[in-house]
Amino acid sequence: MKRCIVISKADPISIGVAEILIESFDFKLDDQTYRRGEVEIKFIDQKHIYAEEIGERLGADLVVFPSSHKSEKGIQAFLTHPVGNWKDQALYGGRPRKLSMTSALMLTNSLQTLMSEVDRLGIKGWDVRLEVTHHGPYTSIPSIFIEVGGSDTSTITSRELEVVATASLRAAETEIHDADNIAVGFGGGHYAPTFTKLVSEGLYSIGHMCPKYALPIDDEMVKQAIEKVVEKPRLALIDWKGIPSQQRTELISILEKHGLEPVKV
């Protein structure tokens, strides 16, 4: 199985993560590629979000994108999220109304590793969260982003880069398999506080997440949210307070049509 950590040369944070992976995690240079077991580090020139079909082009079985993050409110955070666009626009890469394949177990591994590493290294003043599905690139290969950042004045040291490097490697090493607690999520805000809590506590592994601001969505997008999680979700977590009642009713009807069990959270 070919597992790729994709490094963008256009992103200094991504380059910094690559340097730590190579220096501290026993990656060896083999035929112009850094490898550790099944995990390879691949460098691209463009920004991650515009690297369309990168998984296919690399011949990868799964892909992790270590990346910078910019918060309009200046919130310093470590984040992990699936990829795709819910609506008719694709302003930041990807394709309109297309979700990329993702892995709920990769997201769980990355979130839990980010949390444990922040604690282990004693890093203060940084949030650790899931983000909902957003932006590009489009790929049919299971993929996730792992990000760190805040405002333009946020200082990111080797410790923060080490957190992202460790989480990227753990995510890339994920063994994909079916499980009873695989879900997709609907409702709530962009930084998914309810879903973050549930995943951090090990109650569910969540793939695609559609926030309140992207609702309502139609049958086709619900179908994609289900089919583009590699572990085959059987549950739909609904952030009850985060969705108007009329939209909840319509959404539940579509979910049940596709055989998902709605769960109020």
Side-chain angles (χ1 to χ4, degrees):
M1 190 173 191
K2 185 174 179 179
R3 306 159 180 270
C4 292
I5 299 175
V6 178
I7 302 299
S8 169
K9 295 179 183 178
D11 183 345
I13 296 298
S14 195
I15 290 292
V17 169
E19 291 172 350
I20 288 180
L21 285 168
I22 292 166
E23 293 170 3
S24 303
F25 289 87
D26 200 31
F27 278 82
K28 304 297 185 185
L29 187 59
D30 176 24
D31 192 25
Q32 299 185 320
T33 298
Y34 285 98
R35 291 188 177 89
R36 171 179 150 152
E38 295 181 320
V39 182
E40 300 182 3
I41 298 174
K42 294 292 189 180
F43 292 87
I44 61 174
D45 292 326
Q46 66 209 124
K47 290 185 176 181
H48 289 126
I49 62 174
Y50 301 118
E52 298 301 298
E53 297 187 341
I54 185 63
E56 293 86 337
R57 288 190 276 126
L58 294 175
D61 294 295
L62 58 80
V63 178
V64 177
F65 302 110
S67 174
S68 59
H69 171 74
K70 179 70 176 295
S71 166
E72 293 180 359
K73 295 182 179 180
I75 298 169
Q76 299 187 137
F78 296 93
L79 301 156
T80 184
H81 70 85
V83 185
N85 294 305
W86 296 104
K87 294 298 187 181
D88 292 332
Q89 291 181 313
L91 299 177
Y92 301 101
R95 299 174 184 174
R97 288 176 53 85
K98 288 291 184 182
L99 306 184
S100 291
M101 187 66 77
T102 197
S103 162
L105 295 177
M106 286 171 67
L107 287 163
T108 295
N109 279 351
S110 59
L111 179 69
Q112 292 179 349
T113 303
L114 289 172
M115 288 180 165
S116 63
E117 287 298 295
V118 165
D119 183 63
R120 181 181 70 84
L121 293 171
I123 296 174
K124 307 297 183 184
W126 290 76
D127 283 351
V128 183
R129 292 179 177 268
L130 294 170
E131 274 186 295
V132 298
T133 302
H134 66 298
H135 68 57
Y138 175 79
T139 177
S140 62
I141 307 303
S143 61
I144 66 169
F145 271 75
I146 302 177
E147 304 177 355
V148 63
S151 69
D152 290 333
T153 60
S154 295
T155 300
I156 297 174
T157 70
S158 60
R159 291 196 312 159
E160 286 77 41
L161 294 175
E162 182 180 346
V163 170
V164 176
T166 303
S168 297
L169 179 57
R170 297 293 172 259
E173 292 175 333
T174 300
E175 294 298 330
I176 305 298
H177 58 84
D178 292 339
D180 290 337
N181 68 340
I182 305 298
V184 288
F186 298 91
H190 184 82
Y191 292 102
T194 299
F195 301 143
T196 298
K197 183 175 186 294
L198 293 170
V199 173
S200 68
E201 293 174 352
L203 299 175
Y204 299 96
S205 287
I206 307 175
H208 282 295
M209 292 164 280
C210 181
K212 178 182 177 180
Y213 64 75
L215 293 170
I217 57 173
D218 60 18
D219 183 274
E220 166 59 25
M221 295 311 297
V222 171
K223 183 180 178 183
Q224 283 194 52
I226 298 164
E227 293 181 347
K228 294 192 175 181
V229 180
V230 69
E231 296 91 355
K232 301 177 182 177
R234 66 176 189 85
L235 304 171
L237 307 183
I238 300 175
D239 190 333
W240 208 254
K241 294 181 180 179
I243 305 178
S245 59
Q246 180 61 35
Q247 289 185 8
R248 280 201 308 262
T249 300
E250 294 170 356
L251 176 62
I252 289 170
S253 176
I254 297 173
L255 292 168
E256 290 177 339
K257 170 187 171 183
H258 288 283
L260 262 67
E261 176 186 343
V263 179
K264 177 180 177 180
V265 296

